[in-house]
């Protein structure tokens, strides 16, 4: 065993260095050991594995991922809206992982960060020198009594958030002829905070096309107190809901679905009162959390159960050889694939520096983006940082509904995802944002 100096960066960028043990990349039958273990082979996991396989070579990187299928989740909004097929969003995991990594097809069930090892659902112990945790979010439909039963048995209760229900959405939209079409937003952090309303806009448009709009009441029942967290885009969306006669009920949290009576029960989060709505269609966004296997490792997570990282370096605040990317970390930004792209670039630079005994210099600014589709062919491209300040790529007003941004979302980004992001070649649009301004500005503007 060798000893190596590694650096823990504090909030002000200074480095605290200390010693740790380093493993050789050997492998025994009962215990494998890797230079880098990546937990989760989703958006963040594939791109991280690709970058480090390229850098470290064959046999040095393992990805622990239980699923045979990889999903391009951002396209599920358009699948639900009848504008793309589900098949376009799925590829075999074997095709999207880099060929030089070892794919361990299992779940991590236990983290042991003091001993640099994880245990998998098939009983293997995997040791690592460095680890990147990219486990995404867990969908907790089970926390709403009646929701799972309704999703299984009622064709009019749907959700774009899971691969096993997204294909129901468009059928339910087409079957809605009258009554309340209700779209929910839960009382937890979620991935892609715009998705619960994007599908509502596509549904509303379809109701018009089907000639039933005057008989359908469209309701957005959200646990939040605002329509969107960034003022600039909230102002644009408020105009959209007003123009389209969509009723927004704030601070309403779905607490039960009674599909036998076609009823959805909400709690008013301010008064605590219960309110029951009948529905003819119900689009659920489930409460979400970090996966249980991560949440139960109290040494790694914050109080909310997310892997606690330094917001700038994305390094664990407690274990310097652990980093985290994406939906399962504590970085206080909106959880999206766009955020994963930026975070991936930062973690690659910082972890490479750490591996080579150099200080970490790359800082994540919270960049995230949400393409808010408002109808077929129209999209408001929200992009912002940790402070909620718009950080727009294009030198035009992205607060407007635009055809170009729809085309980017529907046709360009999927190609970029499969061919640029997953192979580790896309770090987000930061470079282009500056280039499009001839390097004279970073495109940052303050919230109004
Ligand atoms: P994921 O890509 O979800 O990957 C997590 C992986 O970890 C999974 O493969 C899972 O199987 C694995 N895993 C879980 N538990 C374990 C375990 N115990 N052991 C090992 N592996 C485990 N983002 C955008 O940027 N733009 C959009 O327009 C957009 N729209 C969206 C619309 C919808 C309907 C949805 C659902 C998401 C959308 N997103 C969008 C969000 C985006 O898809 C996610 O933020 C992104 O995929 C997060 O990447 P990740 O690597 O953190 O997690
Ligand atoms: C992005 O980088 C990304 O990841 C590939 C997304 O997920 C699919 C996005 O939705 C967006 C908007 C971006 C940002 C990219 C550009 C070109 C603005």
């Amino acid at each position: 065993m060798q000893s190596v100096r590694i650096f823990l960066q504090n909030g002000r960028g200074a480095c605290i260095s200390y010693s740790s043990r380093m493993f050789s990349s050997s492998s025994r039958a009962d215990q494998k050991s890797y230079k880098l273990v990546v937990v989760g082979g989703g958006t963040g996991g594939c791109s991280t594995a690709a970058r480090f396989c390229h850098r470290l070579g064959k046999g040095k990187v393992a990805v622990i991922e239980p699923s045979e299928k990889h999903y391009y989740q951002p396209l599920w909004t358009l699948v639900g809206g009848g504008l793309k097929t589900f098949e376009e969003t799925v590829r075999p995991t074997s095709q999207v992982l880099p060929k030089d990594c070892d794919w361990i097809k299992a779940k991590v069930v236990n983290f042991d960060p003091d001993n640099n090892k994880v245990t998998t659902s098939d009983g293997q112990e995997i040791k690592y020198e460095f680890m990147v945790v990219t486990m995404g979010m867990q969908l907790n439909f089970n926390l709403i009594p009646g929701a799972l039963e309704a999703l299984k048995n009622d064709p009019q209760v749907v959700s774009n958030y899971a691969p096993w229900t997204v294909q129901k959405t468009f059928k339910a939209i087409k079957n809605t002829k009258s009554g309340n079409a209700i779209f929910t937003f839960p009382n937890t952090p979620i991935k892609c905070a715009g998705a619960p309303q994007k599908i509502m806009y596509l549904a509303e448009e379809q109701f018009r096309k089907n000639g039933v709009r005057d008989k359908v009441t469209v309701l957005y029942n959200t646990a939040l107190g605002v329509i969107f967290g960034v003022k600039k885009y909230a102002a644009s969306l408020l105009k959209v809901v007003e123009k389209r006669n969509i009723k927004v009920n704030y601070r309403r949290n779905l607490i039960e679905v009674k599909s036998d009576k076609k009823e959805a029960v909400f709690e008013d989060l301010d008064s605590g009162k219960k309110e029951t709505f009948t529905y003819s269609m119900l689009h659920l966004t489930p409460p979400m959390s970090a996966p249980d296997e991560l949440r139960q490792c109290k040494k790694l997570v914050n109080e909310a159960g997310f892997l606690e990282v330094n917001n700038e370096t994305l390094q664990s605040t407690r274990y310097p050889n652990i980093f985290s990317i994406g939906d399962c970390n504590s970085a206080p930004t909106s959880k999206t694939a766009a955020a994963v792209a930026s975070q991936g670039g930062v973690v690659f630079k910082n972890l490479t520096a750490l591996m080579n005994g150099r200080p970490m210099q790359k800082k994540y600014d919270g960049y995230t983006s949400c393409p808010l589709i408002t109808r077929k062919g129209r999209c408001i491209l929200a992009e912002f940082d940790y402070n909620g300040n718009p950080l727009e790529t294009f030198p035009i007003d992205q607060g407007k509904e635009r055809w170009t941004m729809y085309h980017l979302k529907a046709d360009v980004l999927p190609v970029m995802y499969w061919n640029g992001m997953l192979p580790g070649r896309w770090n987000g649009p930061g470079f282009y944002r500056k280039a499009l301004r001839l390097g004279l500005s970073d495109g940052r503007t303050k919230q109004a």
Side-chain angles (χ1 to χ4, degrees):
M1 287 221 193
Q2 281 174 273
S3 184
V4 67
R5 305 293 295 175
I6 52 183
F7 296 88
L8 176 62
Q9 192 146 21
N10 73 12
R12 288 177 298 282
C15 285
I16 305 156
S17 94
Y18 70 95
S19 253
S20 95
R21 291 282 178 197
M22 190 164 134
F23 306 99
S24 60
S25 252
S26 67
S27 140
R28 295 203 320 264
D30 56 335
Q31 192 175 70
K32 293 179 185 148
S33 159
Y34 291 91
K35 176 94 174 166
L36 175 67
V37 164
V38 179
V39 182
T43 308
C46 280
S47 47
T48 302
R51 287 183 174 111
F52 280 99
C53 276
H54 187 67
R55 172 65 54 101
L56 300 172
K58 201 171 168 58
K60 300 285 183 192
V61 179
V63 178
I64 310 179
E65 165 59 59
S67 174
E68 296 262 2
K69 289 178 181 156
H70 180 105
Y71 300 105
Y72 178 52
Q73 302 166 51
L75 218 52
W76 287 350
T77 295
L78 296 177
V79 174
L83 298 168
K84 296 278 177 183
T85 64
F86 180 66
E87 288 67 36
E88 286 172 80
T89 73
V90 194
R91 291 205 182 164
T93 300
S94 58
Q95 263 180 32
V96 293
L97 285 176
K99 63 177 177 11
D100 283 346
C101 80
D102 284 4
W103 173 19
I104 297 167
K105 203 190 301 172
K107 270 186 162 197
V108 165
V109 290
N110 190 50
F111 289 90
D112 181 0
D114 292 321
N115 294 302
N116 299 312
K117 69 179 185 199
V118 294
T119 310
T120 61
S121 46
D122 57 2
Q124 300 186 65
E125 279 196 347
I126 315 288
K127 296 204 102 184
Y128 54 82
E129 193 179 328
F130 299 95
M131 175 166 71
V132 178
V133 182
T134 63
M135 295 163 75
M137 283 194 121
Q138 178 175 293
L139 306 177
N140 297 319
F141 287 112
N142 56 313
L143 295 182
I144 304 172
L148 276 171
E149 194 193 336
L151 284 165
K152 282 182 198 139
N153 302 326
D154 184 343
Q156 292 303 103
V157 179
V158 299
S159 178
N160 278 358
Y161 272 87
W164 54 274
T165 154
V166 60
Q167 292 177 85
K168 281 176 77 182
T169 304
F170 192 54
K171 288 184 197 138
I173 294 172
K174 284 190 293 184
N175 281 339
T176 305
K177 306 278 190 296
S178 60
N180 291 332
I182 308 177
F183 297 80
T184 73
F185 189 114
N187 194 19
T188 65
I190 64 168
K191 50 182 154 183
C192 197
Q197 60 186 293
K198 298 182 208 178
I199 187 58
M200 172 174 73
Y201 300 130
L202 292 175
E204 195 271 347
E205 186 182 22
Q206 191 65 39
F207 300 150
R208 282 179 200 273
K209 279 189 189 150
N210 294 351
V212 297
R213 181 63 183 93
D214 54 341
K215 295 187 217 75
V216 179
T217 304
V218 181
L219 297 166
Y220 186 49
N221 283 5
T222 169
L224 301 179
V226 289
I227 194 159
F228 197 76
V230 178
K231 282 184 191 150
K232 169 171 179 165
Y233 308 114
S236 306
L237 292 167
L238 287 174
K239 284 188 198 146
V240 172
V241 291
E242 197 187 318
K243 193 169 69 193
R244 310 260 293 265
N245 191 23
I246 293 169
K247 171 104 175 77
V248 184
N249 293 313
Y250 294 106
R251 307 278 297 151
R252 294 298 195 291
N253 186 35
L254 180 67
I255 52 170
E256 189 173 359
V257 183
K258 298 178 179 172
S259 50
D260 52 338
K261 295 187 196 153
K262 296 263 180 199
E263 283 177 0
V265 185
F266 290 82
E267 183 188 7
D268 179 327
L269 291 171
D270 293 322
S271 68
K273 280 191 192 143
K274 286 186 185 173
E275 209 177 343
T276 300
F277 293 72
T278 54
Y279 65 81
S280 52
M281 179 194 158
L282 178 63
H283 179 273
L284 296 177
T285 300
M288 297 178 205
S289 65
D292 289 340
E293 300 83 11
L294 176 60
R295 276 202 288 176
Q296 72 201 13
C297 182
K298 301 291 177 218
K299 288 179 172 169
L300 282 177
V301 299
N302 67 4
E303 276 191 0
F306 293 98
L307 200 147
E308 191 174 277
V309 289
N310 175 301
N311 293 344
E312 290 184 336
T313 61
L314 303 171
Q315 182 185 43
S316 160
T317 50
R318 295 165 220 165
Y319 295 90
N321 61 340
I322 299 178
F323 287 70
S324 179
I325 294 174
D327 296 353
C328 72
N329 75 22
S330 66
T333 193
S334 186
K335 296 175 184 299
T336 64
V340 169
S342 280
Q343 292 181 14
V346 170
V347 167
F348 179 62
K349 286 261 167 64
N350 285 344
L351 181 47
T352 302
L354 189 67
M355 285 174 172
N356 294 317
R358 287 187 276 107
M360 298 182 291
Q361 282 174 335
K362 197 84 182 150
K363 290 182 180 168
Y364 176 53
D365 58 6
Y367 173 81
T368 189
S369 172
C370 188
L372 294 155
I373 293 176
T374 51
R375 60 176 70 217
K376 180 181 174 189
R378 288 288 179 275
C379 174
I380 293 168
L381 183 61
E383 292 181 280
F384 48 97
D385 65 11
Y386 272 139
N387 300 316
N389 292 325
L391 197 51
E392 299 183 343
T393 301
F394 303 99
I396 49 173
D397 180 3
Q398 291 183 200
K400 290 199 171 135
E401 296 177 76
R402 291 182 183 275
W403 173 84
T404 42
M405 300 304 149
Y406 179 87
H407 177 56
L408 175 76
K409 158 79 186 169
D411 306 313
V412 179
L413 286 171
V415 178
M416 272 172 61
Y417 182 84
W418 298 117
N419 303 314
M421 185 160 177
L422 294 188
R425 290 192 286 263
W426 174 245
N427 294 340
F431 170 81
Y432 301 93
R433 187 171 62 241
K434 282 183 200 138
L436 286 166
R437 288 168 182 77
L438 306 173
L440 298 173
S441 138
D442 68 357
R444 209 175 298 266
T445 52
K446 288 253 178 290
Q447 277 224 56

